[in-house]
Amino acid sequence: QVQLVESGGGLVQPGGSLRLSCAASGSIFRIEAMGWYRQAPGKQRELVAGITSGGRTNYADSVKGRFTISRDNAKNTVYLQMNVLKPEDTAVYYCNADIVGHTIVNYWGQGTQVTVSS
């Protein structure tokens, strides 16, 4: 009933930038926290960045100073601006959100591939 649709992934050279978007749709009363996770081959999924409904953010140490998470509550959308990309940023990036319908439920997007390579 709720879907998270991601866009913006792709192939980029080291030092380049990408902007990921994730729009939530469906039966939504309110969206609480939203975030971005990533999973590289052979590694566990990790939190990249999170943002509360009030705009408070947190980041993994590996991306601080390079990535910026933001949200547009009117559009039910969260963004991840990724700058100075490194090969180690290569992963499948997943959008995540806590969404209130009649109860609060955690949802995942299908994932979008980000590849940083020369």
Side-chain angles (χ1 to χ4, degrees), residues 90-107:
T90 296
V92 178
Y93 284 70
Y94 297 92
C95 179
N96 181 270
D98 293 322
I99 298 177
V100 180
H102 65 286
T103 61
I104 188 166
V105 179
N106 184 258
Y107 291 91

Side-chain angles (χ1 to χ4, degrees), residues 5-111:
V5 180
E6 299 148 322
S7 62
L11 175 65
V12 66
Q13 294 184 343
S17 298
L18 286 174
R19 181 178 171 88
L20 305 183
S21 299
C22 173
S25 62
S27 182
I28 300 170
F29 176 73
R30 185 175 69 253
I31 302 179
E32 300 295 346
M34 305 184 80
W36 290 94
Y37 293 72
R38 68 185 181 188
Q39 188 166 23
K43 297 184 178 180
Q44 293 200 103
R45 188 175 300 178
E46 64 173 344
L47 175 66
V48 178
I51 185 167
T52 69
S53 60
R56 191 184 337 114
T57 61
N58 68 289
Y59 299 90
D61 288 341
S62 59
V63 307
K64 285 181 179 177
R66 300 188 297 119
F67 291 11
T68 302
I69 188 170
S70 61
R71 64 190 288 168
D72 186 332
N73 291 330
K75 297 180 179 179
N76 290 333
T77 299
V78 63
Y79 307 93
L80 185 67
Q81 178 67 46
M82 305 185 293
N83 298 325
V84 197
L85 283 161
K86 305 174 180 180
E88 52 261 43
D89 295 318
T90 296
V92 178
Y93 284 70
Y94 297 92
C95 179
N96 181 270
D98 293 322
I99 298 177
V100 180
H102 65 286
T103 61
I104 188 166
V105 179
N106 184 258
Y107 291 91
W108 290 95
Q110 64 183 0

